Amino acid sequence: PVAVLAFRRGKACGKAAIAGRDGGTGAAVVDGATGFRVDGRSLDDIACALVRALGQAGLAEQLGANGCSRARAEFTWERVAEKTLAAAR
């Protein structure tokens, strides 16, 4: 899905993410490690995640760095090919 691709691109650029719990974002955003997953219909949840990410010194940068590392390890074309071949077996 396009939304998941946007989150993966953000990770590759070292950006933390806040994503809704619904949909396919779970594969792209690991809650507490590369960003936060929240109830996307709740403004309070979204606001709390923003305050948490931006209010703790270095947290957004750490989440972004974690996401970048994960993107480089899990979402390279080589890794995608390996997963595709494994699924075909």
Side-chain angles (χ1 to χ4, degrees):
V2 174
V4 173
L5 184 57
F7 284 110
R8 288 182 179 167
R9 286 181 177 162
K11 283 194 314 187
C13 294
K15 301 299 179 188
I18 297 173
R21 286 189 190 107
D22 296 334
T25 60
V29 179
V30 179
D31 191 45
T34 64
F36 299 112
R37 297 192 69 210
V38 300
D39 179 349
R41 296 174 300 252
S42 169
L43 292 179
D44 287 339
D45 279 9
I46 296 166
C48 286
L50 284 168
V51 168
R52 184 175 173 198
L54 299 175
Q56 295 180 27
L59 180 58
E61 292 81 5
Q62 184 60 54
L63 294 170
N66 293 347
C68 186
S69 294
R70 184 167 182 256
R72 290 182 177 169
E74 294 294 322
F75 302 113
T76 64
W77 285 116
E78 292 82 8
R79 187 72 179 120
V80 170
E82 289 171 4
K83 289 179 182 180
T84 301
L85 286 173
R89 293 186 183 136

